[in-house]
Amino acid sequence: MYNNTLFSIGLATLELKGMDNDMLCNYVKENIGRQNRHVNSDDEELSKLNAIVLQQTQKILDGTISNPDVNNLKTQIKRVWVNQDLNSDISTTHTHRDSFLSVIYYPKSTDGKIHFYIPSADVYLSHVPIYKCKEYNEYNSTFWEFDVKTGYLLIFNSMLPHAALPSKEERVSIVYDIVVNENN
């Protein structure tokens, strides 16, 4: 019997130190009223976070391509938006259809949680009495829950369905959609 994982979906989690989270929270609060909460990725307040996001997503792209001879593919920020607390856009299961990677940074979150859903789990697990499982794992779960705390950065495949769960305390997030740009 082979014990291989097929078509894995990666999730990068980093805890960022040295970020000015108070400034980022104020930035979010000042911009939360914008249409669709979209902000300008060139805003000075985002410059340090943007650099980290591009560095980390480039590492993922390089690992995905696995070809050291290709150096003209670069990650690029397509759009950025901000969230404070919970709204229907983030609490409903969704994907980011026109992006390669999605990134969420939490300048403030003490009790935040995010669910990631396995796209094909219901088809596969509908034939299994899942309620009899002793422990849930990546093979028998329909979702996986992550606690998100202040300073956490999550990077994941944009096609991975996800949703934010209600928080009792304040939660502030900055979200990025990342695309691949071919520089010729």
Side-chain angles (χ1 to χ4, degrees):
M1 178 177 201
Y2 294 103
N3 290 320
N4 295 315
T5 301
L6 184 63
F7 304 127
S8 297
I9 298 174
L11 172 71
T13 57
L14 299 101
E15 185 174 1
L16 303 185
K17 305 284 186 181
M19 296 298 294
D20 188 345
N21 289 321
D22 290 335
M23 180 272 300
L24 289 171
C25 285
N26 288 334
Y27 174 81
V28 169
K29 290 173 186 176
E30 290 169 6
N31 287 284
I32 200 71
R34 287 187 174 189
Q35 183 179 8
N36 297 323
R37 297 173 314 284
H38 287 106
V39 296
N40 187 342
S41 64
D42 293 330
D43 286 351
E44 179 62 30
E45 294 89 342
L46 297 176
S47 61
K48 184 176 181 180
L49 184 57
N50 288 349
I52 294 168
V53 165
L54 288 171
Q55 176 192 39
Q56 295 300 320
T57 56
Q58 187 66 43
K59 285 181 184 180
I60 292 170
L61 174 61
D62 292 346
T64 301
I65 298 300
S66 298
N67 182 352
D69 296 329
V70 176
N71 59 8
N72 66 334
L73 295 178
K74 301 292 181 204
T75 56
Q76 178 182 340
I77 296 170
K78 181 172 185 173
R79 71 181 142 256
V80 183
W81 67 96
V82 295
N83 294 304
Q84 183 178 12
D85 299 324
L86 197 63
N87 62 59
S88 61
D89 293 341
I90 65 172
S91 64
T92 303
T93 303
H94 63 282
T95 63
H96 300 216
R97 295 178 187 212
D98 57 352
S99 303
F100 168 56
L101 294 171
S102 293
V103 180
I104 308 172
Y105 179 68
Y106 295 91
K108 185 169 188 180
S109 179
T110 54
D111 69 340
K113 294 182 184 310
I114 186 170
H115 276 188
F116 290 98
Y117 298 89
I118 302 167
S120 61
D122 288 335
V123 173
Y124 171 68
L125 295 175
S126 66
H127 304 284
V128 177
I130 207 69
Y131 60 90
K132 293 190 178 189
C133 291
K134 285 185 180 180
E135 293 181 18
Y136 290 99
N137 58 44
E138 63 187 281
Y139 301 107
N140 63 15
S141 299
T142 58
F143 71 90
W144 210 258
E145 181 177 285
F146 282 90
D147 294 328
V148 291
K149 304 287 183 201
T150 298
Y152 277 27
L153 181 84
L154 302 177
I155 305 172
F156 54 94
N157 180 312
S158 294
M159 293 299 105
L160 187 60
H162 58 283
L165 300 182
S167 296
K168 292 180 181 169
E169 300 178 26
E170 185 179 18
R171 177 181 51 222
V172 176
S173 62
I174 301 171
V175 183
Y176 291 79
D177 278 340
I178 303 297
V179 295
V180 177
N181 186 11
E182 188 168 11
N183 297 324
N184 292 322

